[in-house]
């Protein structure tokens, strides 16, 4: 996570520098606010990565002398036949369209649709204990 934290440190410095230059050169308030907020959000993410990096053991990505073979092995579990990601994408698209056209009943339905899809994705492999 140290690599990711450094990337966001560089982004944060760039956004704040751009915000300073933009503030001095223009009097346009929306762009100024957007750049300052972007810098702040980048700072939050970088701080989170630094916080997490202290609690994790060093990964091969964090070691400049690591070999490619150091990262070999299982990466994680990926569901081979899940329809929930597609369902979530459709729910997000529906919610986006409902926001674009500002139909309140569609927004309500879209929010429920997104929540159901997220719950389905999160709890896909959660099985109730059997009563034997």
């Amino acid at each position: 996570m140290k690599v990711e934290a450094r990337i966001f440190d560089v982004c944060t410095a760039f956004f704040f520098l751009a915000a300073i230059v933009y503030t001095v050169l223009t009097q346009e308030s929306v762009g100024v606010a957007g750049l300052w907020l972007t810098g702040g959000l980048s700072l939050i993410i970088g701080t989170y990565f630094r916080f997490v990096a202290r609690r994790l053991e060093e990964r091969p990505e964090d070691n400049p002398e690591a070999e490619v073979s150091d990262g070999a092995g299982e990466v994680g579990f990926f569901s081979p036949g899940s329809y929930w990601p597609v369902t979530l994408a459709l729910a997000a698209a529906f919610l986006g369209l409902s926001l674009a056209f500002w139909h309140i009943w569609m927004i309500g339905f879209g929010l429920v649709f997104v929540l159901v899809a997220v719950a389905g994705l999160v709890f896909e492999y959660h099985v109730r204990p059997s009563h034997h």
Side-chain angles (χ1 to χ4, degrees):
M1 299 303 258
K2 293 178 185 176
V3 173
E4 292 88 349
R6 279 186 239 132
I7 289 171
F8 275 95
D9 288 343
V10 170
C11 289
T12 300
F14 171 76
F15 290 136
F16 282 141
L17 180 66
I20 291 169
V21 170
Y22 197 79
T23 302
V24 170
L25 295 179
T26 69
Q27 299 299 321
E28 196 264 321
S29 59
V30 174
V32 169
L35 282 170
W36 284 105
L37 290 173
T38 302
L41 290 174
S42 179
L43 178 65
I44 290 170
I45 296 169
T47 303
Y48 171 77
F49 281 146
R50 271 191 303 284
F51 180 76
V52 170
R54 283 191 228 133
R55 285 157 179 71
L56 295 177
E57 60 187 51
E58 186 176 68
R59 303 174 308 159
E61 293 88 351
D62 296 328
N63 183 1
E65 297 173 7
E67 298 291 326
V68 173
S69 61
D70 293 339
E74 185 176 326
V75 177
F77 175 74
F78 301 97
S79 181
S82 177
Y83 290 106
W84 286 112
V86 175
T87 307
L88 183 58
L90 288 172
F94 182 84
L95 181 60
L97 282 173
S98 65
L99 286 169
F101 291 110
W102 200 250
H103 293 297
I104 301 299
W105 67 271
M106 284 177 64
I107 293 171
F109 181 72
L111 285 171
V112 170
F113 191 22
V114 166
L115 290 175
V116 167
V118 167
L121 184 64
V122 169
F123 297 114
E124 181 174 12
Y125 290 100
H126 178 72
V127 180
R128 284 186 264 167
S130 60
H131 301 291
H132 291 299

